[in-house]
């Protein structure tokens, strides 16, 4: 753990209280309102030296520490994407801070395009696994042997089962699938989507994979859910845009909030 992360964790404990955090939540495009559901203290990223600027519209760059359904959570209202800075490790410090605050697990959420006809805009997809289609890695340059992180079961089976149980309680379908990380910021071409389909991808997006790699590196259990905002390029007549992503994400976000609350109640 870097000294910087320890210092930031101390600063956050001073502001929000010393009780350890159990779970971190990283909110994707259009999912920011979830941060408002938490009873707690909001700290702007700008007050946390080294935190990313998180300049993508539809993101809310605050860290909220507090209670959601009786569980102490840390909600990252905005994430840094590789395509903003060219740094695939842009979320390393926030995840180190999460670990330093005592968290055992992190849940990443994202907006994604679907490659599967049975997973439509407005639906959710629980990540069973991922494909690093970008070829980038946030651990390149890491000097310790800890960089050789095993990625089998990187998407934690027990956390996935907990979310599935919660989804069942809520009566909300939660199909599982493989998420392919595309660097962005341009969207994929139809030919790239056909390639990803052949490789085994079920959904595509521009985040989450580096965070899951970093989480496993830091000893955090990881789980991730996509809100499907569109069919991937070439699979429907609809035009893909960031505006469309932001408009569609809240549909899935409402379902995701119900599932998350049910899962947290079961965990509390
Ligand atoms: N591709 C990549 N990222 C996305 C998409 C997509 O189709 N939709 C939302 N985020």
């Amino acid at each position: 753990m870097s000294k910087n992360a320890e210092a930031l964790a101390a600063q956050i404990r001073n502001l929000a209280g010393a009780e350890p955090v159990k779970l971190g939540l990283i909110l994707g495009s259009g999912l920011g309102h979830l941060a408002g559901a938490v009873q707690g203290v909001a700290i702007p990223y700008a007050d946390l030296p080294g935190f990313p600027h998180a300049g993508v519209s539809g993101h809310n760059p605050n860290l909220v520490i507090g209670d959601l359904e009786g569980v102490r959570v840390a909600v990252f209202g905005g994430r840094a994407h590789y395509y903003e800075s060219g740094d695939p490790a842009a979320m390393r410090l926030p995840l180190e801070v999460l670990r330093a605050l005592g968290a055992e697990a992190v849940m990443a959420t994202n907006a994604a395009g679907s490659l599967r006809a049975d997973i439509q805009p407005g639906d959710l997809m629980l990540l069973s696994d991922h494909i690093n289609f970008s070829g980038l890695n946030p651990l390149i340059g890491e000097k310790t042997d800890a960089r050789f992180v095993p990625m089998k079961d990187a998407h934690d089976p027990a956390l996935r089962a907990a979310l599935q149980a919660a989804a069942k309680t809520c009566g909300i379908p939660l199909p599982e699938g493989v998420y392919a990380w595309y660097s962005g910021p341009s969207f994929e071409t139809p030919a790239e989507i056909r390639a990803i389909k052949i490789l085994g991808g079920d959904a595509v997006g521009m985040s989450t994979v580096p965070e899951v790699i970093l989480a496993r590196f830091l000893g955090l259990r990881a789980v991730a859910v996509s809100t499907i905002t569109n069919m991937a390029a070439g699979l429907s007549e609809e035009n893909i845009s960031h505006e469309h992503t932001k408009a569609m994400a809240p549909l899935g976000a409402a379902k995701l909030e119900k599932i998350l609350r049910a899962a947290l109640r079961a965990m509390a």
Side-chain angles (χ1 to χ4, degrees), residues 111-114 182 187-188 204-206 229-233 240 245:
S114 172
Y182 185 76
F187 285 102
E188 306 74 29
V204 64
M206 302 178 194
T229 54
N230 55 278
M231 295 312 288
I240 301 172
T245 296

Side-chain angles (χ1 to χ4, degrees), residues 29 83 110-115 179-188 193 196 203-207 227-233 240-242 244-246 249:
S29 294
Y83 62 73
N110 60 58
S114 172
L115 281 75
Y179 173 96
W181 175 32
Y182 185 76
S183 77
S186 61
F187 285 102
E188 306 74 29
I193 293 301
I196 290 170
V204 64
M206 302 178 194
S207 67
T227 64
I228 301 300
T229 54
N230 55 278
M231 295 312 288
I240 301 172
S241 70
H242 189 54
H244 184 261
T245 296
K246 283 190 293 183

Side-chain angles (χ1 to χ4, degrees), residues 22-188:
K22 204 157 181 190
L23 174 75
L25 271 168
I26 303 175
L27 303 184
S29 294
L31 297 166
H33 86 280
L34 251 177
V38 176
Q39 318 264 306
V41 176
I43 307 167
Y45 284 8
D47 293 350
L48 299 169
F51 260 53
H53 292 297
V56 182
S57 66
H59 288 251
N60 174 10
N62 285 309
L63 172 62
V64 183
I65 308 277
D67 186 278
L68 190 60
E69 300 291 346
V71 177
R72 187 137 167 107
V73 295
V75 182
F76 296 89
R79 62 151 55 86
H81 306 81
Y82 165 73
Y83 62 73
E84 292 173 72
S85 64
D87 179 8
M91 286 299 284
R92 180 164 173 161
L93 181 63
L95 286 164
E96 284 182 353
V97 169
L98 180 63
R99 190 78 178 111
L101 290 170
E104 299 150 14
V106 63
M107 176 171 159
T109 64
N110 60 58
S114 172
L115 281 75
R116 266 180 39 195
D118 63 325
I119 305 181
Q120 288 286 319
D123 290 347
L124 300 174
M125 188 188 89
L126 176 60
L127 276 65
S128 56
D129 203 345
H130 69 238
I131 296 173
N132 186 348
F133 194 69
S134 76
L136 301 158
N137 196 295
L139 297 177
I140 290 174
E142 168 65 29
K143 297 292 185 288
T144 65
D145 277 358
R147 64 188 159 187
F148 301 113
V149 181
M151 292 299 288
K152 183 173 174 286
D153 289 336
H155 296 263
D156 192 87
L159 290 176
R160 278 161 50 205
L163 286 176
Q164 285 293 7
K168 204 166 171 193
T169 315
C170 299
I172 298 171
L174 188 58
E176 295 201 14
V178 173
Y179 173 96
W181 175 32
Y182 185 76
S183 77
S186 61
F187 285 102
E188 306 74 29

Side-chain angles (χ1 to χ4, degrees), residues 61 138 148 178 199 223 243:
F148 301 113
V178 173
L199 291 175
V223 71
E243 286 312 310

